[in-house]
Amino acid sequence: MSEALLREPRPGEATIDGEGAGAVLRLRGDWTLAHHAALRRQAEALRGRLEAATRVEAGELGTLDTAGARLLHGLLGGERVAALLAGDGGLSRERRALLKAVAEAIEGREDKPAEPEGSAIGDVLAHIGHTMGVFWRHVTGLTGFVGLILESALRVSVQPRRWRMTALVANLERTGLDAVPIIALLTFLIGAVVAFLGATVLANFGASIFTVDLVTYSFLREFGVLLTAIIVAGRTASSFTAQIGSMRANEEIDAIRVLGLDPVELLVLPRVYALMLALPMLTFIAMLSGIVGGMLVSALTLDISPVLFLSRIEDNVGLIHFWVGMAKAPIFAFLIAVIGCLEGFRVQGSAQSVGEHTTSAVVQSIFVVIVVDAVAALFCMEMGW
């Protein structure tokens, strides 16, 4: 059995023998947590009596733990502790190592400069700067990823044997065919709401017939493609991010690279192509459903028959409005697919990261769709389309 187990525990103490230049601080007994209260009182009483010339003798020091080492550091101060660590005072190697670790931890914490107090304006400006930095990183990352997709698309387009037709058809079914019911239902209801609101306002001016123009213009130019893109952004962009993010978390993306395959060619291009085909078709269905919803409300509340409704569309609504709405669909589809896939590749490897990037993909997709739609509306207005 070791000496520490055979020795009876003895409470620690500190005494000063002598005065002036011959004064000696003697440390005895066990400086442990069990005797912490008594040792703290002794240390507080002796701290004011220590002089610069007082020597320290620790040859009779018994057991030492971190609590006792902290008390010793507070009693002796940094300079005397450094002298003990240098070998003065008879401190054993084990106790010297413990005291050194505690001293470094205490002095490192005390030497750490306090954080300056910030002002409200400075905090706001710092937050704005951080937000702008995050936004700029998103823009540059999205731009670079778009360039990577275009480069891969051009390279694969001249090699038909590398086309992923099975993946394209599977993604086309998930993004297009499976979304038809919800797109048709929601746009039908919104078309009915728009017709009802238009009829309520226009009836006051005796212009109820213009409800037909309101519903048709809004769905052909804006509501058809915009509502479809927003629904697809919430439904499909999140799906792309979750699928690719889960593969990245399970290191399947790394396995694809190890096999010598291109993840962009294998995972991104089929999804981008499928959504660029699906969204124009869904937009066309949304336009028809919205107009049918408006037609039903007009027939029930305004006595505008379906024949008169369709005749009014044929006489007063130009085909250009249909093409303006349809032209936006592939652009929105490309942006939604790119953002969804990019956020999937940004997943770090945990379930929490998958959830965060899935949410980010939906938010970014809806934001980009609305911004691009607003810019397109201003452009078409200036062009007179």
Side-chain angles (χ1 to χ4, degrees):
M1 299 178 66
S2 65
E3 179 183 353
L5 294 176
L6 293 173
R7 184 179 57 81
E8 291 293 331
R10 185 161 53 99
E13 62 176 352
T15 58
I16 296 179
D17 300 335
E19 297 180 355
V24 179
L25 174 65
R26 301 187 185 279
L27 303 175
R28 304 182 182 89
D30 300 336
W31 285 63
T32 59
L33 183 62
H35 313 295
H36 185 272
L39 290 171
R40 183 180 61 185
R41 289 192 294 269
Q42 292 185 41
E44 292 174 352
L46 293 175
R47 189 175 294 119
R49 297 173 53 189
L50 289 178
E51 300 179 358
T54 303
R55 294 187 300 105
V56 179
E57 290 290 342
E60 300 180 39
L61 186 66
T63 305
L64 181 67
D65 62 9
T66 54
R70 190 178 188 283
L71 285 175
L72 284 178
H73 186 277
L75 172 64
L76 302 178
E79 294 183 1
R80 289 191 179 91
V81 168
L84 276 178
L85 296 177
D88 299 338
L91 198 64
S92 66
R93 181 173 59 85
E94 294 82 1
R95 294 173 179 79
R96 189 182 303 117
L98 176 60
L99 184 59
K100 179 181 179 182
V102 172
E104 289 177 350
I106 294 174
E107 293 170 2
R109 183 183 62 190
E110 292 177 349
D111 293 342
K112 183 179 179 180
E115 295 183 1
E117 297 182 359
S119 62
I121 297 178
D123 293 342
V124 171
L125 294 177
H127 181 70
I128 293 174
H130 175 72
T131 304
M132 292 302 296
V134 172
F135 176 76
W136 178 249
R137 287 194 295 271
H138 277 293
V139 171
T140 54
L142 180 61
T143 304
F145 194 62
V146 168
L148 181 61
I149 291 174
L150 294 178
E151 186 270 335
S152 299
L154 291 175
R155 186 180 67 251
V156 173
S157 62
V158 297
Q159 303 178 49
R161 61 184 181 83
R162 300 178 65 177
W163 295 355
R164 308 282 176 174
M165 297 305 300
T166 303
L168 174 64
V169 173
N171 283 288
L172 185 60
E173 179 184 2
R174 286 195 295 266
T175 60
L177 185 61
D178 294 347
V180 169
I182 187 172
I183 295 291
L185 177 61
L186 291 180
T187 51
F188 175 84
L189 296 176
I190 293 175
V193 170
V194 170
F196 181 77
L197 293 177
T200 302
V201 175
L202 294 174
N204 297 327
F205 303 95
S208 299
I209 190 63
F210 287 102
T211 302
V212 178
D213 303 70
L214 173 64
V215 173
T216 307
Y217 277 113
S218 60
F219 271 88
L220 290 182
R221 294 185 67 96
E222 296 294 336
F223 284 173
V225 63
L226 185 60
L227 292 173
T228 303
I230 290 175
I231 295 171
V232 169
R235 183 180 181 275
T236 305
S238 59
S239 175
F240 288 174
T241 302
Q243 291 168 359
I244 297 177
S246 297
M247 294 180 68
R248 182 169 174 81
N250 294 329
E251 299 183 354
E252 295 177 39
I253 304 295
D254 297 331
I256 290 174
R257 291 194 175 98
V258 169
L259 292 173
L261 301 175
D262 184 3
V264 175
E265 176 186 337
L266 190 66
L267 302 176
V268 177
L269 290 183
R271 288 173 167 80
V272 172
Y273 289 152
L275 195 58
M276 290 182 69
L277 292 174
L279 192 57
M281 293 186 285
L282 292 174
T283 299
F284 181 73
I285 294 173
M287 291 176 179
L288 292 180
S289 299
I291 292 174
V292 170
M295 183 188 303
L296 179 62
V297 171
S298 299
L300 296 177
T301 62
L302 300 176
D303 294 327
I304 300 176
S305 65
V307 175
L308 179 57
F309 194 98
L310 295 175
S311 176
R312 179 78 183 181
I313 293 176
E314 183 180 359
D315 294 337
N316 295 328
V317 180
L319 193 60
I320 182 64
H321 305 295
F322 170 77
W323 290 118
V324 167
M326 291 298 295
K328 301 176 187 177
I331 300 174
F332 291 167
F334 181 77
L335 294 173
I336 292 170
V338 168
I339 291 173
C341 294
L342 176 60
E343 289 300 313
F345 281 106
R346 285 175 171 168
V347 170
Q348 296 299 317
S350 64
Q352 180 181 357
S353 180
V354 173
E356 291 174 351
H357 285 280
T358 300
T359 303
S360 177
V362 175
V363 173
Q364 289 184 55
S365 299
I366 295 175
F367 173 79
V368 169
V369 164
I370 294 176
V371 169
V372 173
D373 184 73
V375 173
L378 294 175
F379 175 77
C380 292
M381 182 181 65
E382 291 297 328
M383 296 298 294
W385 294 344

